[in-house]
Amino acid sequence: MARFHSPEYIEFLKRITPDTAAILSQTTQAQKMQPGQNGGASLSAQMQRFNVGEYTDCPVFDGLYEFCSIYTGASIDGGLRPIRVLESDSQRSGDVTVPAGGGVGGVI
């Protein structure tokens, strides 16, 4: 993921949880991250910046970072290992890669 995303985004994925997302959606007061991390940027501002959370198609859930890591690794591995298929009606063959998450890549 680090090859395609900023360190701030990856750190955000590691830190955001359903509990912090719920607190942020219920309050207008920005919750600050620990001092020295991301220059003190608020999780609330980062949720808006990264388009994650309530009212988006990128929900926050337990294990989000781990899911993104596994999904990304599987997608890259799948792209490197296409499946050889044979079409029965025309006897043509080709390489196909099927995304494991079926379009879940919005978060990643």
Side-chain angles (χ1 to χ4, degrees):
M1 286 190 305
R3 187 170 182 181
F4 300 100
H5 295 291
S6 70
E8 294 83 13
Y9 180 67
I10 293 172
E11 186 63 26
F12 168 79
L13 291 177
K14 289 179 181 179
R15 300 179 78 58
I16 193 71
T17 67
D19 292 336
T20 56
I23 291 168
L24 293 173
S25 69
Q26 295 172 1
T27 181
T28 58
Q29 186 179 22
Q31 303 293 319
K32 297 291 182 182
M33 295 181 72
Q34 294 179 0
Q37 303 222 354
N38 283 338
S42 73
L43 282 175
S44 179
Q46 288 185 323
M47 285 179 71
Q48 290 177 353
R49 176 180 172 202
F50 298 131
N51 195 33
V52 174
E54 193 173 16
Y55 308 115
T56 74
D57 64 349
C58 303
V60 174
F61 53 89
D62 285 326
L64 178 60
Y65 175 76
E66 291 79 13
F67 172 82
C68 291
S69 296
I70 293 167
Y71 179 87
T72 301
S75 294
I76 292 170
D77 189 51
L80 296 173
R81 300 171 191 252
I83 303 166
R84 182 57 105 186
V85 296
L86 181 65
E87 296 179 18
S88 59
D89 61 339
S90 63
Q91 300 300 313
R92 292 180 296 167
S93 64
D95 293 335
V96 177
T97 300
V98 179
V104 182
V107 172
I108 307 159

